[in-house]
Amino acid sequence: MSAAGARQRVNTSNIQDEVVACLNAGKAIRTDIGTDGRLHMDRPLPFLCLHLTAGTKNLAARDIASAHASYLIASSLAEAMPILTVVGAEMEKRFGTFMVLDVGELEHDILLADDSPFLPHYEVAVSSTEEPVTLDAKRVFIKAVCDAEIRFRTPHITRPDDEHDPIAAFKNAGLDYPVISVRFAPIYRQPESGADYPGLRETMIADLFDAGLRAFAAFSTKTQALNIPSHRALGRKAFVDAVRRADRSIDDIAASFDFLLSVTPINARQALKDFRENGFEYAPHFLYRPLSVDVEEQKRKLYSVAFDHLEDPVLYNLYREKQQEIDLQLSMLAHLHRRQFTDFSRALYGSVEPPLLSLAQDVLKRCPRPGDAEDIAMVDCYEVVKSARQMVDAYHAENPLFKARVEIRDDLPPGLMVTGEKLLISRHTVMERRRLEALLHHEIGVHLLTYFNGSAQGLRLFRTGLSGYEGVQEGLAVMAEYLAGGMTRERLRLIAARVVGCAAMLEGADFVETFRMMTREHGFDEASAFNMVLRIYRGGGLSKDAIYLRGLSEILEHLRKGGALDPFWMGKISAAHFPVMQELALRGLLHPPGIRPAFLAPAKASERLEKIRSGLSIAEMATL
């Protein structure tokens, strides 16, 4: 069912034909009503959320109503009644029942003034018709409101007196369906000025919307109108046009710059040579690509993206979080080579928390440097490219949407890097053959796979990455190396040492001090230590490399608790977004991953996965 359905302004006199025609055709309904109203139904449901504007705009109650999959906004009960009657009759035919949740606001927050010495309760007036199933749904709504974590003030539930009870108005108008009516104090508005508290407004909308879903779920379950796994499954199953516009805008801004390429030095080989020649006494001088992005212009575009009409609190929060993350990335690019770069890096990637540092030190202690091995076969960049293209071709044969490109670059330090749909391989890459397949599973089987699976979700956000996705992405990618049988003690030591190095950098150690710590205390050879420390100090001090071990630890803990991996393949998400992905999947807005990682298929991978679930520690993950 498409959200594009019926989209025109109609008079209520012919709304019946519109509703019946759209429902019979399996189309969504999105029809403007009167001067400032709308009927929206993205699918047939045995309920509808109603808001009567009475000529007042920009109320939170309107946003609460419009967050639902089925809602009506009208100027008055007289304007709403013909529509409620028609919709109710049609839904009753389909489900055997129909309920209305009427949401509005009290005129004033009478319990609070600007100079109140404390924050009192706020009023929420709730009433309903008397059917047992409606009374039960009302109790569910009230409990959800009281349990919600609205900071600063707690609700005081009241019942309106008979003279002002909206239920009486519905009865007098002849509405013969169950109704719950809610009027809440506008605590999101400042008492004297009337200006909003934006954060409180967002919280109230999300919490009262959730309470409404719970009431609808209770009503639908008790009447056996629907069988649902969770109340959140009653949310929207289609994106409105405003979501797609915001999604394109955010993606265009994110695509206007390549963050990692911008902060990666282009003269790594020469810098190492110079560093050697000066006896490792002076920090090397790094050169970077000129910035191709106008930071201020992109920031202006970023904050001109409108989220006001997304009509979905979950998506609203996802895009706001992504907006803030892109803002931090742009701020970092604007402060390359300056002290503030590291401050913004700390804000984006976090500090190295003590438990993470302790874990890194434990891994280094339990994974001592291996002795010199003889005759370890090595491969150069051309063999890496050949194997990478073979793996890409295999994924493409499984799913034609997997259209990754593999490129050799001269301007990268030794190693591999994924950016968008491309795998970049430095021409200076030389690596152990036994590590090749595992590393390709890291880059192609996780980073590129989630890019293309995310591309298939209908919103570009899931391929660009939800805010904070990188930690879980790198954790999954490192786990892929283990499941593929290509994890070495040296690789584990490197991941742990990056955390130690990031902690030192954030505490004020300079390049040379951290390099000496890696060579003298932790036994890394000069080239390996240099490349590691280069990554940590690129741009002026980038704490990103601490996320590999943090993300791996989060993934292992998730698996030990019985968590599934499949939702992580849907796109680029963080652990914090796992419940959000589950909800969007329940609502039909996300699809199962179209491509599954090849490294999960072998029986050995299943055995290794079971070892993780059984409590395998990170220090024990070496397979070579």
Side-chain angles (χ1 to χ4, degrees):
M1 185 179 288
S2 168
R7 308 189 92 187
Q8 54 182 333
R9 186 171 298 283
V10 300
N11 189 285
T12 55
S13 61
N14 64 356
I15 188 64
Q16 178 173 359
D17 293 340
E18 296 294 332
V19 171
V20 174
C22 285
L23 291 175
N24 288 341
K27 295 180 179 179
I29 300 170
R30 190 170 175 83
T31 302
D32 293 330
I33 304 296
T35 58
D36 191 37
R38 178 180 295 134
L39 172 65
H40 174 99
M41 299 174 64
D42 77 8
R43 65 193 187 279
L45 290 166
F47 51 78
L48 177 145
C49 191
L50 171 69
H51 172 61
L52 303 176
T53 65
T56 306
K57 296 183 179 181
N58 301 323
L59 294 181
R62 181 186 181 110
D63 290 343
I64 293 167
S66 62
H68 286 276
S70 179
Y71 72 82
L72 171 62
I73 295 172
S75 62
S76 65
L77 184 55
E79 185 175 68
M81 274 301 297
I83 304 168
L84 292 174
T85 302
V86 172
V87 172
E90 288 297 318
M91 295 303 102
E92 201 167 40
K93 287 179 188 176
R94 293 169 180 257
F95 300 102
T97 189
F98 179 69
M99 184 183 83
V100 175
L101 173 63
D102 167 45
V103 179
E105 298 185 18
L106 299 170
E107 187 173 354
H108 300 292
D109 181 11
I110 60 174
L111 300 178
L112 183 68
D114 275 339
D115 59 351
S116 293
F118 64 95
L119 294 174
H121 297 314
Y122 71 95
E123 183 180 4
V124 181
V126 186
S127 57
S128 73
T129 51
E130 297 300 315
E131 306 85 9
V133 69
T134 313
L135 293 173
D136 181 67
K138 181 178 75 171
R139 284 191 289 270
V140 170
F141 180 90
I142 290 172
K143 182 179 187 304
V145 170
C146 293
D147 290 346
E149 296 183 1
I150 296 180
R151 292 184 179 182
F152 312 118
R153 300 176 70 181
T154 54
H156 173 60
I157 307 299
T158 65
R159 179 189 173 95
D161 58 60
D162 293 341
E163 183 180 353
H164 298 97
D165 190 348
I167 297 298
F170 285 107
K171 289 181 178 178
N172 292 337
L175 187 67
D176 193 25
Y177 296 112
V179 181
I180 297 175
S181 186
V182 179
R183 298 291 182 270
F184 59 90
I187 64 171
Y188 65 89
R189 290 204 303 265
Q190 298 176 33
E192 303 298 333
S193 68
D196 284 357
Y197 298 112
L200 183 54
R201 190 179 198 275
E202 292 171 22
T203 301
M204 286 202 72
I205 290 169
D207 288 343
L208 290 172
F209 166 66
D210 186 77
L213 286 184
R214 291 180 185 274
F216 286 147
F219 178 84
S220 301
T221 302
K222 282 291 180 70
T223 58
Q224 298 183 334
L226 291 173
N227 181 20
I228 53 173
S230 162
H231 70 288
R232 302 300 294 192
L234 296 176
R236 289 170 175 263
K237 286 184 178 286
F239 303 121
V240 298
D241 288 343
V243 173
R244 300 189 185 282
R245 287 194 297 271
D247 181 65
R248 286 194 299 271
S249 297
I250 291 293
D251 186 67
D252 287 345
I253 295 165
S256 70
F257 63 96
D258 190 311
F259 178 74
L260 283 182
L261 274 180
S262 297
V263 301
T264 299
I266 60 176
N267 65 327
R269 294 185 75 202
Q270 184 62 43
L272 173 57
K273 179 183 176 183
D274 294 343
F275 192 43
R276 272 202 181 101
E277 288 177 354
N278 70 41
F280 306 111
E281 292 292 330
Y282 305 102
H285 178 66
F286 294 124
L287 301 177
Y288 298 86
R289 300 162 185 80
L291 276 185
S292 60
V293 61
D294 185 330
V295 170
E296 295 305 318
E297 175 64 21
Q298 294 305 319
K299 282 202 174 192
R300 280 193 292 271
K301 290 180 180 178
L302 182 64
Y303 283 101
S304 69
V305 179
F307 300 143
D308 298 344
H309 304 294
L310 302 189
E311 298 185 0
D312 190 321
V314 171
L315 293 177
Y316 177 88
N317 287 333
L318 291 182
Y319 283 104
R320 281 293 302 274
E321 290 171 357
K322 189 62 180 179
Q323 184 185 54
Q324 292 160 6
E325 180 180 77
I326 293 173
D327 182 25
L328 280 172
Q329 290 178 329
L330 287 168
S331 294
M332 290 176 71
L333 294 184
H335 292 86
L336 274 172
H337 327 302
R338 303 177 192 169
R339 180 185 56 79
Q340 294 96 324
F341 181 90
T342 305
D343 296 334
F344 286 118
S345 171
R346 194 193 306 264
L348 183 59
Y349 295 110
S351 299
V352 176
E353 57 273 25
L356 179 63
L357 182 58
S358 295
L359 173 61
Q361 291 168 336
D362 180 65
V363 171
L364 286 169
K365 180 180 179 181
R366 295 175 62 188
C367 294
R369 181 185 178 187
D372 293 333
E374 296 181 3
D375 300 325
I376 294 181
M378 307 297 284
V379 294
D380 62 13
C381 68
Y382 300 105
E383 282 210 56
V384 176
V385 168
K386 179 182 176 182
S387 297
R389 286 178 176 156
Q390 289 173 348
M391 187 176 288
V392 166
D393 289 344
Y395 276 115
H396 179 73
E398 178 186 344
N399 190 317
L401 294 178
F402 195 96
K403 297 179 179 179
R405 290 181 290 160
V406 180
E407 296 181 3
I408 293 181
R409 296 284 291 251
D410 288 311
D411 58 347
L412 293 176
L416 286 67
M417 175 190 299
V418 165
T419 174
E421 62 184 22
K422 295 186 291 187
L423 172 62
L424 308 181
I425 300 172
S426 169
R427 193 177 299 276
H428 315 298
T429 298
V430 177
M431 61 179 297
E432 297 178 7
R433 180 179 294 279
R434 61 178 184 167
R435 285 273 303 143
L436 175 58
E437 185 178 357
L439 190 56
L440 292 179
H441 282 305
H442 175 125
E443 302 291 353
I444 299 172
V446 174
H447 295 327
L448 285 173
L449 178 140
T450 51
Y451 177 88
F452 288 105
N453 277 343
S455 298
Q457 295 297 352
L459 292 178
R460 300 177 187 180
L461 180 65
F462 295 105
R463 76 176 189 194
T464 304
L466 302 185
S467 173
Y469 78 92
E470 289 176 294
V472 161
Q473 273 278 297
E474 298 300 353
L476 289 168
V478 172
M479 186 188 70
E481 298 178 36
Y482 164 71
L483 296 181
M487 181 63 73
T488 63
R489 282 190 298 166
E490 196 66 10
R491 174 64 167 163
L492 290 173
R493 295 181 74 250
L494 176 66
I495 292 167
R498 287 174 176 176
V499 173
V500 175
C502 285
M505 181 270 292
L506 290 173
E507 290 170 4
D510 64 24
F511 187 101
V512 174
E513 290 170 331
T514 304
F515 175 82
R516 288 173 178 168
M517 177 175 66
M518 293 304 164
T519 54
R520 298 176 184 179
E521 295 180 28
H522 299 298
F524 287 91
D525 64 72
E526 293 169 354
S528 297
F530 178 83
N531 286 328
M532 182 201 316
V533 179
L534 176 152
R535 291 170 59 102
I536 294 170
Y537 284 84
R538 55 183 160 167
L542 184 67
S543 55
K544 176 182 181 291
D545 275 8
I547 68 175
Y548 289 76
L549 187 63
R550 183 190 292 127
L552 179 61
S553 179
E554 289 177 353
I555 292 296
L556 264 56
E557 184 63 22
H558 172 78
L559 291 171
R560 289 174 191 134
K561 292 179 178 178
L565 280 176
D566 265 9
F568 289 115
W569 312 130
M570 289 181 178
K572 295 183 182 294
I573 69 171
S574 75
H577 292 124
F578 201 78
V580 170
M581 299 295 282
Q582 289 178 312
E583 175 184 338
L584 294 177
L586 280 174
R587 286 160 52 181
L589 290 174
L590 293 182
H591 316 293
I595 315 166
R596 297 190 83 249
F599 58 77
L600 292 176
K604 274 288 187 183
S606 298
E607 293 174 13
R608 293 178 181 123
L609 202 53
E610 285 308 309
K611 288 182 180 180
I612 291 175
R613 294 187 188 279
S614 300
L616 183 77
S617 72
I618 291 176
E620 298 171 319
M621 290 179 70
T623 55
L624 294 174

